[in-house]
């Protein structure tokens, strides 16, 4: 029980650091989605969160604080408690599968582009903004997909039962990936925490799915599961550049979300670039992704996403581990 | 389905079927679909970007979302009419049914409940049991007081209704994200506008 109690916070801290790093990169720490819950890391010793009432800023024991000057920490907690169920349901693999119409998405996307256009002076700034939108989605997507594919139907006992809803929420998100969790039924004893009737999602997770460590694995992950999740099909090709060592290309013959956009002055596919980069960045494969329109005979909207990995990735890749 | 709405759909010239099956049918057979969560995440990213851009002035964010919705609405009605070919509604009651059972169904695949009619039948509420915009969402403390997260929907309805000559006010009364019991949108009809020929260019 003791080991488990510590198991989780450790990985969480890791995630927290990653997210901060990622956010810092884009100078945007405002996370409306998946906001970090305050209650996760609760060391048994130090100050109770209540003492932090009225403080603003960062408290290393409980993470970033969003308390307003005049609000007590209790009310933060009560607000959180009220919305906890959000995560219980939405993180379940079964939650994925609903659809909205492409028209609705196209309208929304169009507004996003025009919003970006109004706020920018140059074309590259527009693209940067779209990229940033996508980037924040990518960060969440990696977590979501990996988390969901870790859920094995049926048996299992609480993995981070104690942390309950918010834990699951922060730890991730995930949608059906292709290869479902290789049901390595993680051992760990049977010290059941708390009440058994709590039907939390956590009880279906025995082992979190292993993250992709090799370059090709993670690219396959983007090419397969991520694409399937986003666009209901794998991307059309995954190619390694013959000229440059650190360059890979993902090819989409019929990009779905920009299909109604005729102008080629602004490359709206930078939104997807952002998603790819977010996923790869959070997976510790820092890179830059750019989109290039390369029409071919049958596919006049064909887009090539060029992924340039940072040098450190190649160096690490060259190591044997 | 209530007798009331059944009679409405019977009178709604075009389809013999009820509006609900009509909407379901279009959704199933004539609509290209995309992952709802991509939609959710994209919208979330837009809202959070707006919050940053306006330095967390949520009143401005609300009105910006509304404006974006309005832009969508005035275009979306075209798409809606093209898909459904529904005739003009006779009453606001019928309009409300069309909105909930067709429009929301076709675009967002949800069917809000219509209710809470005002005494003189010029205002009603839409209760969104599920809201594809707000899955995964939890509002930060400061935003929970002022931000209407899904405010874009109000703009969409307002824009769309305006294009069919109905001058309406649309606003959110309640939102589960702000700790409310339900997510409730209020639609109030101000007046029916006359068909006006747009001013000529010369």
């Amino acid at each position: 029980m003791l080991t488990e109690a510590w198991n989780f916070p450790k990985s969480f801290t890791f995630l927290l650091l990653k997210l901060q790093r990622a956010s810092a990169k884009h100078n945007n720490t405002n996370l409306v989605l998946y906001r970090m819950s305050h209650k996760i890391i609760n060391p048994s010793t130090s100050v109770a969160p209540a003492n932090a009432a009225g403080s603003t800023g960062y408290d290393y024991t409980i993470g970033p604080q969003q308390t307003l000057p005049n609000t007590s920490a209790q009310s933060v907690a009560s607000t959180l408690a009220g919305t906890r169920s959000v995560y219980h349901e939405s993180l379940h693999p079964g939650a994925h599968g609903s659809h909205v119409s492409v028209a609705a998405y196209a309208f929304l996307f169009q507004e996003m582009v025009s919003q970006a256009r109004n706020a920018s002076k140059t074309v590259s700034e527009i693209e940067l903004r779209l990229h940033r939108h996508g980037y924040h989605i990518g960060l969440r997507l990696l977590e979501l997909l990996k988390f969901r594919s870790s859920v094995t139907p049926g048996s299992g006992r609480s993995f981070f039962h104690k942390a309950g809803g918010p834990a699951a929420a922060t730890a991730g998100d995930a949608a059906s990936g292709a290869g479902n969790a290789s049901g390595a039924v993680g051992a760990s004893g049977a010290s059941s925490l708390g009440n058994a009737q709590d039907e939390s999602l956590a009880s279906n997770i025995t082992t979190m799915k292993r993250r992709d460590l090799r370059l090709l694995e993670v690219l396959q992950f983007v090419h397969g599961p991520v694409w399937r999740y986003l666009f209901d099909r794998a991307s059309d090709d995954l190619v390694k550049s013959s000229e440059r060592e650190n360059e890979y290309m993902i090819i989409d013959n019929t990009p779905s979300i920009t299909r109604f956009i005729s102008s080629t002055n602004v490359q709206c596919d930078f939104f997807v670039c952002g998603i790819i980069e977010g996923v790869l960045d959070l997976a510790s494969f820092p890179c830059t992704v750019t989109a290039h329109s390369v029409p071919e005979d049958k596919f006049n909207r064909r887009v090539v996403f060029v992924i340039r990995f940072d040098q450190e990735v190649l160096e690490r890749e060259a190591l044997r581990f | 389905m209530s007798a009331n709405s059944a009679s409405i759909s019977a009178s709604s010239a075009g389809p013999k079927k009820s509006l609900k099956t009509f909407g379901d049918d279009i959704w199933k057979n004539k609509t290209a679909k995309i992952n709802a969560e991509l939609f959710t995440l994209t919208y979330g990213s837009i809202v959070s970007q707006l919050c940053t851009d306006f330095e967390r002035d949520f009143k401005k964010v609300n009105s910006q979302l509304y404006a974006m919705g309005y832009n969508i609405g005035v275009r979306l009605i075209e798409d809606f009419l093209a898909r459904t070919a529904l005739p003009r509604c006779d009453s606001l009651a019928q309009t409300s049914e069309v909105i909930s059972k067709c429009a929301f169904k076709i675009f967002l695949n949800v069917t809000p409940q219509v209710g809470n009619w005002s005494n003189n039948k010029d205002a009603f509420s839409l209760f969104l049991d599920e809201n594809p915009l707000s899955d995964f969402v939890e509002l930060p403390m400061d935003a929970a007081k002022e931000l209407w997260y899904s405010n874009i929907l109000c703009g969409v309805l307002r824009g769309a209704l305006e294009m069919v000559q109905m001058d309406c006010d649309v606003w959110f009364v309640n939102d589960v994200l702000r700790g409310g019991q339900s997510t409730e949108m209020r639609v109030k009809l101000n007046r029916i506008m006359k068909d006006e020929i747009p001013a000529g260019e010369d």
Side-chain angles (χ1 to χ4, degrees):
Chain A
M1 180 163 162
L2 192 68
T3 38
E4 274 189 45
W6 281 104
N7 208 356
F8 178 70
K10 247 190 263 165
S11 62
F12 170 72
T13 318
F14 172 69
L15 177 66
L16 186 69
L17 288 174
K18 292 294 296 179
L19 268 179
Q20 278 168 348
R21 175 178 156 255
S23 301
K25 179 168 177 179
H26 275 112
N27 190 21
N28 181 355
T29 47
N30 174 21
L31 301 168
V32 169
L33 297 173
Y34 301 117
R35 194 167 53 81
M36 316 254 96
S37 169
H38 303 150
K39 297 187 70 185
I40 297 171
I41 310 181
N42 251 342
S44 49
T45 55
S46 72
V47 220
N51 293 2
S55 74
T56 339
Y58 190 84
D59 181 329
Y60 75 98
T61 54
I62 43 180
Q65 290 287 280
Q66 301 220 8
T67 328
L68 287 177
N70 296 325
T71 349
S72 70
Q74 274 87 353
S75 69
V76 179
S78 63
T79 319
L80 285 178
T83 52
R84 201 168 281 177
S85 59
V86 167
Y87 300 110
H88 272 279
E89 287 162 27
S90 58
L91 287 176
H92 199 277
H96 171 55
S98 61
H99 286 82
V100 297
S101 77
V102 168
Y105 189 84
F107 280 119
L108 187 70
F109 191 76
Q110 177 260 324
E111 273 307 309
M112 183 170 78
V113 174
S114 79
Q115 175 71 26
R117 201 201 60 183
N118 292 339
S120 325
K121 293 193 182 68
T122 62
V123 168
S124 60
E125 203 180 331
I126 302 177
E127 292 173 346
L128 181 71
R129 277 179 165 266
L130 291 176
H131 185 282
R132 194 188 298 157
H133 277 296
Y135 187 82
H136 286 281
I137 293 174
L139 293 181
R140 291 162 175 86
L141 220 53
L142 176 73
E143 295 292 337
L144 184 70
L145 294 172
K146 287 294 179 186
F147 183 84
R148 280 199 184 147
S149 60
S150 304
V151 179
T152 42
S155 70
R157 21 161 273 98
S158 328
F159 177 54
F160 30 78
H161 197 134
K162 243 184 167 175
T170 330
D173 3 321
S176 63
N180 229 324
S182 55
V185 181
S188 81
S191 65
S192 68
L193 316 157
N195 38 356
Q197 70 260 48
D198 186 355
E199 269 298 311
S200 79
L201 183 59
S203 58
N204 290 327
I205 299 176
T206 47
T207 316
M208 288 302 280
K209 203 180 177 202
R210 190 176 75 87
R211 296 297 173 94
D212 301 312
L213 300 177
R214 309 297 299 199
L215 197 117
L216 275 181
E217 287 171 358
V218 82
L219 283 173
Q220 289 287 358
F221 174 70
V222 175
H223 158 80
V226 172
W227 229 262
R228 256 192 299 275
Y229 171 80
L230 293 173
F231 311 118
D232 290 330
R233 59 184 173 82
S235 73
D236 293 297
D237 214 346
L238 170 63
V239 189
K240 185 179 187 318
S241 160
S242 53
E243 292 159 28
R244 275 171 293 270
E245 193 59 10
N246 64 341
E247 231 176 67
Y248 290 82
M249 285 169 278
I250 289 179
I251 294 162
D252 196 336
N253 288 334
T254 49
S256 19
I257 61 177
T258 54
R259 76 169 90 160
F260 301 116
I261 299 173
S262 57
S263 159
T264 49
N265 297 335
V266 178
Q267 187 58 265
C268 293
D269 287 296
F270 264 85
F271 177 69
V272 181
C273 289
I275 297 182
I276 301 174
E277 195 174 320
V279 170
L280 292 177
D281 243 17
L282 195 64
S284 286
F285 289 86
C287 58
T288 36
V289 184
T290 49
H292 304 274
S293 186
V294 187
E296 248 186 16
D297 302 343
K298 274 190 231 158
F299 307 105
N300 57 355
R301 308 199 52 85
R302 184 165 171 270
V303 172
V304 176
F305 298 97
V306 178
I307 305 168
R308 280 188 202 87
F309 287 102
D310 290 3
Q311 200 53 40
E312 63 183 81
V313 176
L314 293 186
E315 284 169 16
R316 186 181 60 199
E317 195 65 15
L319 296 174
R320 294 187 58 185
F321 59 93
Chain B
M1 184 181 258
S2 68
N4 183 29
S5 58
S7 70
I8 287 167
S9 58
S11 67
S12 75
K16 285 178 213 145
K17 304 165 284 185
S18 71
L19 276 176
K20 185 168 188 306
T21 41
F22 180 64
D24 288 355
D25 186 49
I26 293 186
W27 166 254
K28 267 200 202 112
N29 304 321
K30 292 191 194 166
T31 311
K33 302 174 187 69
I34 196 166
N35 182 358
E37 286 177 0
L38 176 63
F39 182 73
T40 311
L41 290 168
T42 307
Y43 185 68
S45 148
I46 292 174
V47 177
S48 92
Q49 185 61 45
L50 282 178
C51 290
T52 315
D53 286 356
F54 291 117
E55 293 166 344
R56 301 187 88 68
D57 181 342
F58 297 109
K59 293 222 170 63
K60 277 192 194 156
V61 176
N62 284 342
S63 60
Q64 180 62 28
L65 286 174
Y66 192 89
M68 289 169 78
Y70 182 84
N71 288 338
I72 293 177
V74 297
R75 296 183 175 87
L76 176 137
I77 187 72
E78 203 77 47
D79 190 272
F80 176 74
L81 292 176
R83 272 168 211 272
T84 59
L86 280 169
R88 191 173 285 272
C89 297
D90 304 323
S91 63
L92 191 65
Q94 197 182 342
T95 309
S96 71
E97 294 292 321
V98 171
I99 290 173
S100 98
K101 300 208 171 68
C102 291
F104 270 91
K105 179 71 189 173
I106 292 171
F107 288 104
L108 298 180
N109 191 22
V110 292
T111 313
Q113 302 291 322
V114 179
N116 217 348
W117 282 91
S118 64
N119 288 331
N120 53 351
K121 299 278 177 203
D122 69 342
F124 63 91
S125 289
L126 291 165
F127 294 94
L128 288 153
D129 300 330
E130 1 167 26
N131 179 357
L133 290 177
S134 67
D135 284 342
F136 298 129
V137 177
E138 194 177 79
L139 292 180
M141 279 299 295
D142 54 344
K145 291 205 174 62
E146 289 184 81
L147 179 67
W148 291 113
Y149 185 82
S150 310
N151 214 29
I152 197 167
L153 289 179
C154 296
V156 172
L157 276 184
R158 148 117 214 171
L161 288 171
E162 191 173 309
M163 288 300 116
V164 287
Q165 279 82 39
M166 299 174 83
D167 178 10
C168 292
D169 284 333
V170 189
W171 69 96
F172 267 102
V173 189
N174 211 341
D175 192 339
V176 283
L177 293 180
R178 291 167 66 139
Q181 290 296 308
S182 57
T183 304
E184 180 181 355
M185 272 169 95
R186 193 87 183 139
V187 181
K188 182 175 182 304
L189 177 68
N190 294 328
R191 65 193 175 94
I192 306 276
M193 294 182 287
K194 290 214 179 87
D195 251 334
E196 283 168 4
I197 301 162
E201 281 183 2
D202 43 22

